[in-house]
Amino acid sequence: MISYVLRRLGTSLVLTVLVSMITFFLLSTSFDGIVRSILGTGATAATVQAKKAEMGMDRPVIVQYLDWLLHALKGDFGVSYFTSQPVGTAVADHLTVTLSVVVVALFLTAVISVVLGVLAASRGGVVDRLTQVASLFGYIVPNLLLAIGLVVVFAVKLDWLPATGYTPFAESPGRWLASITIPVIALMVGGIANLSAQIRGAMIGELRKDYVRTLRTRGISPRSIVLRHALRNAAGPAFTVLSLEFIAMLGGALIIENVFALPGIGSYSFNAALQGDVPIIMGLSLFGVLFIVGVNLIVDIVNGWLNPKARQQ
């Protein structure tokens, strides 16, 4: 198991460096435009070149990247070109908002999907058909359209929830919950549709296997068969889908945060990209990759624990 984890860590490290390198090289093609954005449209060519030299942009790109990487390894991610705020502080401030929405949405998605998927597979009948209808609804309705509909009903018509804005949990737990309710629902509906269908299919496959029949002949209770045996065997693929949903929710936050005026990573990265704020973009890319790599690593470890054959791959 230790060698399995070390292999996954090595692969994750290589992937992180490659993604950061590609991102930096792509950004390097727009250095002139970024400097003009900092200096203003009236800047002369000589002024632009002088500013690039001052910022170290006149060096070979590979030298600039290695310089950035060495500082990043020491925990120094630079400062914003436009606000002079340290990248680490800026990312941490906005990440708190994004995670407060995404983690709640992911937790509720996992719980509701497991309940729906297990009930649909073990009970069948009306419960199964209702679950499939609900999954189809989640597939069909886009997150953005659903978010707008929820705002119209619960914020405009009923005035139960705020349409925009974010309240920190430490300031007021009640207002925090109200501020993230609609974004969380908008993010989790599609995930529930996908994950509950995955769990339902996997559970039906497990419940039809020979070992389940053997357990039944031994007098094991149906609840124990479902929860202790079938669900554990079906959990591996479902956990993989859940990790993909987490990554999809982080991507969906880019849109949701702009719609609801939430000061999270999504809206912050959008503004940084428009400005060409290289240190912020690199910091966000690095933290984003680390998050995704970390999630995949956890999934690999859990799958390796659930299925010993996976550790041999």
Side-chain angles (χ1 to χ4, degrees), residues 142-292:
N143 287 355
L144 182 59
L145 183 61
L146 177 64
I148 294 173
L150 291 171
V151 168
V152 171
V153 174
F154 293 103
V156 178
K157 298 290 186 183
L158 301 176
D159 196 24
W160 288 354
L161 298 168
T164 59
Y166 175 80
T167 301
F169 181 85
E171 184 177 320
S172 171
R175 288 166 55 194
W176 166 80
L177 183 60
S179 67
I180 68 168
T181 296
I182 294 179
V184 164
I185 294 174
L187 281 177
M188 62 189 276
V189 168
I192 291 174
N194 193 18
L195 186 59
S196 62
Q198 165 65 40
I199 294 174
R200 172 187 172 275
M203 286 293 294
I204 290 175
E206 290 297 325
L207 292 174
R208 289 175 178 170
K209 289 185 177 178
D210 291 339
Y211 77 89
V212 172
R213 297 191 189 94
T214 303
L215 291 173
R216 284 172 178 159
T217 59
R218 291 180 179 176
I220 306 297
S221 68
R223 175 176 295 184
S224 178
I225 292 173
V226 170
L227 298 180
R228 294 186 58 185
H229 299 279
L231 183 58
R232 172 169 179 169
N233 292 333
F239 198 71
T240 302
V241 174
L242 183 63
S243 71
L244 296 176
E245 288 301 329
F246 176 69
I247 295 170
M249 286 180 182
L250 286 177
L254 179 68
I255 300 173
I256 294 298
E257 288 174 2
N258 279 286
V259 171
F260 294 102
L262 301 177
I265 287 293
S267 55
Y268 190 57
S269 60
F270 183 74
N271 293 328
L274 287 179
Q275 291 179 318
D277 200 338
V278 175
I280 296 295
I281 297 172
M282 288 301 299
L284 291 170
S285 300
L286 181 63
F287 282 103
V289 172
L290 288 176
F291 249 100
I292 293 171

Side-chain angles (χ1 to χ4, degrees), residues 55 76-88 277-280:
M55 299 171 71
D76 178 12
F77 303 99
V79 297
S80 167
Y81 286 162
F82 297 89
T83 65
S84 299
Q85 186 180 20
V87 173
D277 200 338
V278 175
I280 296 295

Side-chain angles (χ1 to χ4, degrees), residues 23-152:
T23 303
F24 193 89
F25 275 65
L26 289 175
L27 289 172
S28 69
T29 61
S30 58
F31 278 171
D32 281 347
I34 293 170
V35 172
R36 288 186 182 279
S37 176
I38 295 172
L39 295 175
T41 54
T44 63
T47 307
V48 170
Q49 289 304 318
K51 187 65 177 178
K52 285 179 66 177
E54 178 188 334
M55 299 171 71
M57 290 182 174
D58 58 338
R59 297 173 296 167
V61 178
I62 184 64
V63 174
Q64 295 182 55
Y65 170 73
L66 291 176
D67 184 49
W68 174 85
L69 183 62
L70 288 174
H71 281 85
L73 290 174
K74 298 175 184 176
D76 178 12
F77 303 99
V79 297
S80 167
Y81 286 162
F82 297 89
T83 65
S84 299
Q85 186 180 20
V87 173
T89 303
V91 171
D93 290 346
H94 294 83
L95 190 62
T96 303
V97 179
T98 298
L99 287 182
S100 69
V101 175
V102 172
V103 169
V104 172
L106 189 71
F107 174 76
L108 293 176
T109 296
V111 172
I112 295 173
S113 297
V114 169
V115 172
L116 290 178
V118 170
L119 287 177
S122 59
R123 299 286 180 83
V126 176
V127 176
D128 188 20
R129 286 193 287 275
L130 288 175
T131 301
Q132 292 185 59
V133 171
S135 296
L136 183 62
F137 174 79
Y139 277 123
I140 293 175
V141 180
N143 287 355
L144 182 59
L145 183 61
L146 177 64
I148 294 173
L150 291 171
V151 168
V152 171

